[in-house]
């Protein structure tokens, strides 16, 4: 490996080692520096090896356990062992080809045992297997394997598209689930709000009716005590007619219509007061099981 330099002296550079021969036979290793050679004794500098770290990129095509063809880009960093530089000089004619052959052999033995997903997750295991094999073999040839990096894993283009589509479909499905949950929460909260509003509205109506009943009872009692000779029915009719007129007044103020037609007259007022009174009396008597006279007495009490 290298040409023989038949010179009187030679210089070996830093991070290099020289191989010295005598009459074509290995004599010794020459460290960095200036060296003199005795040509009369057959001593000469056979060659110089660099001990710097070298890098070799290897691209391997193989297939996985699930029959997906992939390309792996592997980067091997190696260097010559100074103490065994003679082995590196004499044993291997082309160390790059030797390293590449062993990388191909190991990768194509390990990768077919893995699925594509496992290969992406365990690419360090592949690099470790390659490193162990190369260290065992290349160490005998005077080379040390420093690092092995699995730089890239490239599946077939159609497989990459399929993987991207699967990923996109999964994300859309997850987004749909979150969207449905959000809509469900909105519907539930809206229903709870409506139920709470109806409940509070019912409580308000009940309190309003209770206040009206208490007010009517108090008005009837006060009017009966202050105006002698009046009956509970007459006082009730007077209060109902007053509320009727108040309702018409509120309707005229709050309605957005410019004209509201309401049948009105003394007879209508009498009929309306009678209907309202009878309805209230019948409802109250039905709940309490009382007659109209009993109801009047209760109102006065």
């Amino acid at each position: 490996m290298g040409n023989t330099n038949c010179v009187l002296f030679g210089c070996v550079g830093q991070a290099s080692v020289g191989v010295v021969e005598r009459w074509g036979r290995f004599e010794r290793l020459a460290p960095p520096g200036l060296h003199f050679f005795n040509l009369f004794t057959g001593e000469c500098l056979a060659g110089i090896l660099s001990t710097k770290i070298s890098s070799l990129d290897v691209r391997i095509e193989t297939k996985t356990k699930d029959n997906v063809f992939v390309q792996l880009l592997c980067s091997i960093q190696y260097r010559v062992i100074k103490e065994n530089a003679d082995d590196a000089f004499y044993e291997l004619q082309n160390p790059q080809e030797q390293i590449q052959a062993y990388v191909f052999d190991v990768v194509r033995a390990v990768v077919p045992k893995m699925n594509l997903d496992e290969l992406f997750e365990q690419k360090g295991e592949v690099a470790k297997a390659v490193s162990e094999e190369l260290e065992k073999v290349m160490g005998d040839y005077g080379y040390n394997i420093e690092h092995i990096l699995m730089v890239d894993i490239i599946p077939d283009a159609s497989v990459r598209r399929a993987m991207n589509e699967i990923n996109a479909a999964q994300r859309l499905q997850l987004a749909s689930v979150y969207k449905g949950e959000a809509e469900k929460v909105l519907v539930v909260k809206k229903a709870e709000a409506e139920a709470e509003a109806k409940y509070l509205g019912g409580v308000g109506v009940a309190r309003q009716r209770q206040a009206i009943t208490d007010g009517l009872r108090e008005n009837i009692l006060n009017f009966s005590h202050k105006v002698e000779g009046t009956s509970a029915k007459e006082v009730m009719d007077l209060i109902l007619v007053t509320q009727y007129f108040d309702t018409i007044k509120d309707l005229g103020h709050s309605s957005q219509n410019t004209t509201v037609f309401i049948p009105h007259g003394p007879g209508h007022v009498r009929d309306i007061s009678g209907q309202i009174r009878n309805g209230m009396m019948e409802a109250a008597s039905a709940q309490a099981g009382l007659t109209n006279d009993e109801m009047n007495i209760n109102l006065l009490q």
Side-chain angles (χ1 to χ4, degrees):
M1 181 177 180
N3 297 323
T4 302
N5 299 318
C6 297
V7 293
L8 289 176
F9 59 90
C11 183
V12 178
Q14 186 66 31
S16 298
V17 61
V19 178
V20 181
E21 294 180 349
R22 183 187 297 273
W23 302 118
R25 183 178 180 181
F26 173 71
E27 177 68 17
R28 59 185 173 84
L29 295 175
L34 180 63
H35 298 272
F36 291 92
F37 306 103
N38 190 349
L39 299 180
F40 297 102
T41 60
E43 198 176 65
C44 65
L45 181 63
I48 298 176
L49 290 176
S50 174
T51 57
K52 294 180 180 179
I53 294 178
S54 300
S55 180
L56 175 64
D57 292 334
V58 181
R59 184 179 293 270
I60 315 108
E61 184 176 8
T62 182
K63 74 172 184 175
T64 61
K65 186 177 181 180
D66 48 354
N67 296 322
V68 177
F69 282 90
V70 294
Q71 289 186 358
L72 287 82
L73 183 59
C74 186
S75 179
I76 299 97
Q77 298 175 355
Y78 64 97
R79 69 165 55 181
V80 173
I81 303 173
K82 292 182 180 180
E83 295 78 10
N84 300 329
D86 54 330
D87 293 332
F89 186 80
Y90 291 106
E91 295 294 336
L92 289 179
Q93 180 68 27
N94 193 330
Q96 289 83 6
E97 290 184 0
Q98 188 75 8
I99 292 174
Q100 182 172 316
Y102 279 106
V103 172
F104 270 70
D105 182 67
V106 175
V107 170
R108 288 177 174 173
V110 174
V111 172
K113 298 179 182 179
M114 299 180 178
N115 294 327
L116 182 60
D117 293 337
E118 294 175 347
L119 177 60
F120 277 98
E121 295 172 359
Q122 303 177 16
K123 65 177 184 178
E125 297 297 325
V126 179
K128 182 180 179 181
V130 175
S131 177
E132 291 176 353
E133 184 65 22
L134 285 180
E135 286 180 357
K136 180 174 62 177
V137 174
M138 298 304 294
D140 297 335
Y141 297 124
Y143 287 90
N144 183 50
I145 305 300
E146 298 292 331
H147 299 286
I148 293 182
L149 303 175
M150 200 61 60
V151 178
D152 199 4
I153 300 174
I154 308 172
D156 186 77
S158 59
V159 177
R160 293 200 301 271
R161 287 195 299 270
M163 293 174 65
N164 291 333
E165 290 175 359
I166 292 173
N167 190 290
Q170 290 176 346
R171 292 182 181 277
L172 288 175
Q173 182 180 7
L174 185 61
S176 299
V177 172
Y178 284 132
K179 182 178 180 181
E181 291 294 332
E183 292 178 352
K184 178 181 176 182
V185 171
L186 290 176
V187 172
V188 171
K189 292 300 181 182
K190 183 178 180 180
E192 291 178 352
E194 291 179 354
E196 185 69 16
K198 291 180 180 179
Y199 170 76
L200 295 176
V203 172
V205 172
R207 291 178 177 176
Q208 180 185 15
R209 291 177 179 176
Q210 182 65 38
I212 292 173
T213 303
D214 295 340
L216 290 174
R217 181 184 295 109
E218 184 177 355
N219 290 336
I220 291 172
L221 293 176
N222 291 337
F223 198 91
S224 299
H225 292 159
K226 293 180 180 180
V227 181
E228 296 181 357
T230 58
S231 64
K233 178 179 179 304
E234 293 174 347
V235 177
M236 178 65 74
D237 291 340
L238 178 60
I239 294 174
L240 291 177
V241 170
T242 304
Q243 289 185 344
Y244 173 74
F245 284 115
D246 291 339
T247 303
I248 293 177
K249 180 180 178 182
D250 293 338
L251 182 61
H253 286 295
S254 62
S255 176
Q256 297 180 356
N257 298 322
T258 57
T259 305
V260 180
F261 293 96
I262 299 176
H264 182 66
H268 288 95
V269 174
R270 184 173 57 253
D271 294 339
I272 291 172
S273 63
Q275 292 175 7
I276 295 174
R277 181 179 179 279
N278 292 334
M280 294 180 62
M281 299 288 287
E282 290 176 1
S285 62
Q287 293 179 355
L290 304 176
T291 63
N292 290 339
D293 295 336
E294 293 173 342
M295 189 61 188
N296 291 330
I297 295 173
N298 289 337
L299 288 174
L300 291 174
Q301 293 176 353

